[in-house]
């Protein structure tokens, strides 16, 4: 029959059309049946979304990932210590914009001026917390199960263990095993007797200490995070005789946590009664402050009893759940200002900021918006111990107020305080525009008690005396004590993990030749071997033993295995291995 008769065009075949006819295979080239079965089996479709989530969780909760995230957290904190931060020094951030007009906007896009509040830093911190929790908590559960499990069964060949010994005795095997059980229990081993061997184990506190360290680290991260969320830190300058009330408006600088509520401020108050400071009076350290502190009265609440305390550096005052620290000090000169009508327009002390810290040369501004007919302002420089230099200039020779003097420059005009625009109390705004200097007649060096009369009958200013101010730092951190407790637990945990090691001991007794009992003892210690094993063998043999115990010289078992942990039946509850 021809190709035309079969209905198939020349050059083609029914097999090529794929209509269920097997293609021809050259003899000797067909795949083996088992390989053909694998080729014909359906291919896997992938692990699916759930599988990918499980894989991602396993990767996130490994110790390797936790270490990487810990490194990234430390690396991410570096810009926070190099670049100015808005929460601590907003004025320095503004100055950075002025000095680096091109780089500053790019740095701000990555939140490098607010590192610890940046989304990327929060993401790293949260991932680190989740990674540690997912790694440590399941491991703690497995460790608890392992502590309650039976000690692993004795290997078949105790002679292959790192520590082993054997001896013969006249006592029956059951008697030997009972004595071994009592001895090991007396040494606080967990003991299990089965068949012809006693299995004992102890030293789980080492792994417990390791877990305690990681759990404490987890608690420390949580405490630090909660402290930064719900705590606050503020600075305030208080002059002798003045009282600081813990309210938001009284702070010079205030840095709240992300979730802080101003209504949570404790209503305490602190009054600075007297500030004292001692200076070195001679030698190379002349002028160096050796001791300073403040005598204060404080109340926990407006209706609470008044208490007294001495506030010193590194000895904070604990009040209202916060700590009040003593930071620095300076001078607040006292002035009396009379206006053009002869009325007292201002009387009080004004804090001057330190210009030169060694001898406390300071500057300050006195603003008198109530003066009439013109508002008055004064710029002064204080010299606590005024001396005249060789070039005729005024300087301070000592930080103590031995001969205080103030240079005064006077101004009049609209100070701009009624415009509603905020301005610094240490700077006169609008000089040359809305505020005009009173010339040389409005300038003078004032000693204590002296008065400067302003030209054109604008009034006068008198230097009445000198007080001291101190800067206080109020810090409320609700996570401080939990963090301290967690740090102590971490130290205890890591010390325990290094001092205590896991130990296992097996004792096997079997009948030997001549009616005697052959006793085999094997020991396994995590890390270096200890002398405890030798003491156990000596106690088992007793004082009447005939000769020293000899190391076991049994030959390897038939399968030739050199692993003593797997020569015997596998333990139903093998202790969980610590994750590296």
């Amino acid at each position: 029959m021809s190709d035309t008769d079969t209905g198939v065009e020349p050059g083609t075949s029914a097999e090529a059309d794929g209509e269920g006819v097997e293609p021809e295979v050259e003899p000797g080239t067909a795949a083996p049946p088992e390989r053909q079965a694998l080729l014909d089996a359906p291919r896997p479709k992938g692990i699916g979304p759930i599988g990918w989530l499980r894989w991602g969780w396993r990767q996130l909760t490994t110790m390797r990932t936790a270490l990487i995230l810990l490194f990234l957290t430390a690396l991410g904190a570096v810009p926070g210590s190099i670049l100015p931060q808005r929460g601590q020094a907003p004025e320095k951030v503004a100055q950075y914009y002025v000095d680096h007009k091109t780089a500053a906007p790019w740095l701000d896009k990555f939140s490098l001026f607010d590192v610890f509040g940046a989304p990327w830093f929060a993401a790293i911190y949260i991932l680190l917390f989740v990674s540690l929790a997912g790694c440590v908590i399941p491991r703690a559960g497995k460790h608890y199960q392992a502590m309650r499990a039976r000690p692993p069964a004795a290997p078949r060949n105790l002679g292959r263990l790192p520590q082993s010994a054997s001896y013969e005795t006249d006592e029956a095997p059951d008697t030997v095993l009972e004595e071994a059980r009592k001895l090991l229990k007396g040494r606080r081993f967990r003991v299990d007797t089965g068949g012809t061997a006693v299995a004992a184990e102890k030293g789980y506190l080492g792994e417990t200490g390791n877990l305690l360290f990681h759990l404490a680290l987890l608690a420390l991260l949580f405490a630090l995070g909660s402290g930064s969320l719900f705590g606050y830190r503020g600075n305030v300058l208080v002059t002798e005789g003045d009282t600081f009330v813990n309210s938001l408006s009284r702070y010079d600088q205030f840095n709240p946590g992300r979730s802080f509520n101003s209504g949570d401020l404790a209503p305490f108050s602190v009054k600075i009664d007297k500030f004292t400071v001692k200076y070195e009076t001679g030698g190379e350290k002349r002028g160096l402050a050796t001791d300073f502190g403040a005598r204060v009265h404080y109340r926990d609440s407006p209706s609470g009893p008044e208490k007294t305390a001495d506030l010193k550096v590194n000895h904070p005052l604990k009040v209202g759940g916060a700590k009040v620290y003593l930071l620095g000090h300076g001078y607040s000169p006292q002035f009396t200002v009379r206006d053009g009508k002869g009325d007292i327009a201002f009387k009080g002390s004004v804090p001057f900021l330190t210009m030169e810290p060694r001898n406390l040369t300071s500057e300050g501004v006195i603003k008198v918006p109530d003066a009439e007919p013109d508002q008055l302002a004064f710029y002064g420089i204080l010299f606590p111990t005024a001396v005249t230099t060789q070039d005729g200039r005024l300087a301070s020779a000592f930080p103590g107020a031995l001969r205080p003097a103030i240079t005064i420059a006077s101004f009049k005009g609209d100070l701009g305080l009624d415009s509603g625009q905020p301005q610094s109390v240490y700077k006169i705004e609008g000089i040359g525009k809305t505020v005009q200097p009173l010339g040389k007649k409005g300038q003078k060096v004032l000693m204590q008690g002296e008065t400067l009369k302003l030209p054109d009958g604008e009034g006068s200013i008198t230097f009445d005396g000198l007080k001291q101010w101190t800067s206080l730092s109020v810090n409320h951190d609700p996570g401080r004590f939990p963090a301290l407790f967690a740090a102590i637990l971490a130290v205890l945990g890591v010390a325990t993990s290094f001092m205590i090691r896991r130990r296992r001991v097996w004792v096997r007794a079997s009948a030997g030749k001549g009616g005697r009992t052959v006793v085999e003892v094997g020991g396994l210690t995590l890390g270096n071997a200890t002398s405890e094993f030798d003491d156990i063998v000596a106690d088992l043999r007793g004082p009447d033993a005939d000769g020293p115990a000899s190391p076991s010289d049994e030959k390897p078992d038939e399968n030739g295995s050199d692993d003593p942990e797997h020569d015997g039946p596998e333990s139903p509850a093998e202790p969980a291995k610590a994750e590296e």
Side-chain angles (χ1 to χ4, degrees):
M1 182 180 295
S2 66
D3 291 338
T4 304
D5 295 335
T6 59
V8 179
E9 296 182 1
T12 64
S13 66
E15 293 84 349
D17 290 340
E19 297 182 357
V21 180
E22 293 292 335
E24 294 183 359
V25 179
E26 297 182 6
T29 60
E34 59 274 10
R35 181 172 177 81
Q36 188 64 38
L38 293 175
L39 293 175
D40 295 339
R43 294 186 178 182
K45 298 180 179 180
I47 60 177
I50 302 299
W52 281 110
L53 288 175
R54 290 176 178 173
W55 177 85
W57 176 255
R58 286 195 297 268
Q59 297 301 314
L60 178 62
T61 54
T62 61
M63 190 58 68
R64 179 183 64 254
T65 302
L67 291 175
I68 293 174
L69 290 172
L70 188 62
F71 172 76
L72 290 178
T73 302
L75 187 63
V78 172
S81 60
I82 297 176
L83 298 173
Q85 301 295 293
R86 283 195 175 91
Q88 287 75 33
E91 70 283 355
K92 292 184 179 180
V93 175
Q95 185 62 39
Y96 196 92
Y97 263 86
V98 174
D99 298 338
H100 306 83
K101 296 181 180 180
T102 303
W106 284 99
L107 295 175
D108 203 11
K109 287 182 179 180
F110 294 99
S111 302
L112 295 183
F113 295 125
D114 190 15
V115 168
F116 303 106
W120 56 267
F121 189 84
I124 296 175
Y125 191 89
I126 293 174
L127 284 175
L128 174 61
F129 188 86
V130 173
S131 178
L132 283 176
C135 175
V136 176
I137 294 177
R139 180 175 154 196
K142 293 181 180 179
H143 176 61
Y144 176 75
Q145 294 175 1
M147 290 179 63
R148 296 174 60 88
R150 298 170 57 188
R156 284 193 296 270
N157 192 344
L158 295 179
R160 286 207 182 96
L161 293 175
Q163 291 179 294
S164 63
S166 65
Y167 62 93
E168 293 184 358
T169 181
D170 293 330
E171 295 181 352
D174 292 342
T175 304
V176 172
L177 295 179
E178 180 62 22
E179 291 177 353
R181 186 184 67 81
K182 291 180 179 180
L183 173 64
L184 293 173
K185 273 197 171 184
R187 287 179 170 268
R188 306 184 70 177
F189 278 82
R190 290 191 303 112
V191 180
D192 179 50
T193 303
T196 61
V198 172
E201 185 174 24
K202 74 174 181 178
Y204 271 102
L205 278 180
E207 176 65 12
T208 303
N210 189 292
L211 286 171
L212 178 63
F213 167 75
H214 288 90
L215 289 172
L217 182 61
L218 196 64
L220 181 63
L221 289 175
F222 182 79
L224 294 177
S226 63
S228 63
L229 281 176
F230 301 103
Y232 66 86
R233 182 188 298 272
N235 295 334
V236 61
L237 187 148
V238 185
T239 302
E240 287 177 315
D242 292 346
T243 301
F244 164 70
V245 179
N246 190 35
S247 62
L248 195 59
S249 60
R250 299 298 297 272
Y251 282 97
D252 299 326
Q253 184 181 4
F254 189 79
N255 302 316
R258 297 288 172 177
S259 301
F260 174 76
N261 186 354
S262 60
D264 296 335
L265 286 172
F268 66 85
S269 61
V270 179
K271 179 183 178 182
I272 305 296
D273 293 329
K274 182 66 176 177
F275 184 86
T276 56
V277 58
K278 295 180 181 179
Y279 299 101
E280 288 284 351
T281 57
E284 295 181 355
K285 296 183 179 180
R286 184 177 185 273
L288 182 66
T290 58
D291 181 48
F292 57 89
R295 185 73 172 175
V296 302
H297 281 78
Y298 67 95
R299 296 177 186 268
D300 292 314
S301 62
S303 59
E306 189 174 61
K307 303 176 185 178
T308 304
D310 291 322
L311 189 60
K312 291 183 175 293
V313 177
N314 297 327
H315 291 82
L317 171 67
K318 299 177 182 179
V319 55
K323 285 188 175 182
V324 181
Y325 293 88
L326 183 65
L327 293 184
H329 68 102
Y331 289 103
S332 294
Q334 296 174 282
F335 299 96
T336 299
V337 178
R338 295 180 180 271
D339 60 14
K341 296 183 178 182
D343 298 328
I344 296 179
F346 174 83
K347 185 178 180 64
S349 59
V350 180
F352 276 34
L353 299 183
T354 303
M355 300 171 58
E356 186 259 317
R358 183 169 182 83
N359 294 312
L360 291 185
T361 302
S362 309
E363 63 176 349
V365 169
I366 307 101
K367 296 182 180 181
V368 191
D370 297 330
E372 293 183 359
D374 296 313
Q375 295 181 350
L376 299 176
F378 305 89
Y379 171 74
I381 298 178
L382 169 67
F383 303 94
T385 301
V387 295
T388 303
T389 61
Q390 294 180 352
D391 56 0
R393 296 183 179 182
L394 205 61
S396 179
F398 192 74
L402 303 180
R403 187 173 178 265
I406 295 179
T407 60
I408 290 291
S410 308
F411 302 84
K412 72 174 183 178
D414 184 6
L415 300 180
L417 297 177
D418 299 330
S419 63
Q421 296 292 331
Q423 57 177 260
S424 173
V425 297
Y426 301 105
K427 183 179 180 182
I428 301 175
E429 303 288 348
I431 296 179
K433 298 178 181 179
T434 59
V435 178
Q436 303 300 325
L438 295 182
K440 291 185 177 181
K441 293 183 178 181
Q443 300 178 5
K444 187 179 179 180
V445 177
L446 296 179
M447 306 301 290
Q448 187 170 330
E450 293 184 349
T451 300
L452 167 64
K453 292 186 177 180
L454 303 180
D456 303 327
E458 292 290 344
S460 65
I461 179 171
T462 302
F463 176 27
D464 296 326
L466 205 60
K467 289 185 176 182
Q468 295 189 87
W469 59 257
T470 178
S471 58
L472 304 178
S473 175
V474 182
N475 182 15
H476 173 64
D477 185 1
R480 180 176 65 252
F481 288 111
L484 176 62
F485 183 69
I488 294 174
L489 290 180
V491 173
L492 292 177
V494 74
T496 303
S497 66
F498 281 120
M499 294 174 61
I500 300 178
R501 289 173 287 178
R502 184 88 61 85
R503 287 98 77 198
R504 292 174 179 171
V505 175
W506 294 275
V507 179
R508 177 180 287 127
S510 57
K513 297 178 181 180
R516 295 173 64 84
T517 299
V518 178
V519 182
E520 299 174 86
V521 186
L524 186 63
T525 302
L526 183 64
N528 296 327
T530 64
S531 60
E532 183 183 32
F533 178 81
D534 297 330
D535 297 337
I536 292 173
V537 174
D539 291 342
L540 284 174
R541 300 189 69 226
D544 299 330
D546 50 351
S550 60
S552 178
D553 55 357
E554 293 187 15
K555 297 181 180 180
D557 54 345
E558 295 179 358
N559 57 18
S561 173
D562 290 332
D563 188 354
E565 288 293 326
H566 296 87
D567 280 349
E570 187 176 354
S571 172
E574 187 70 11
K577 294 183 179 179
E579 185 173 358
E580 292 296 326

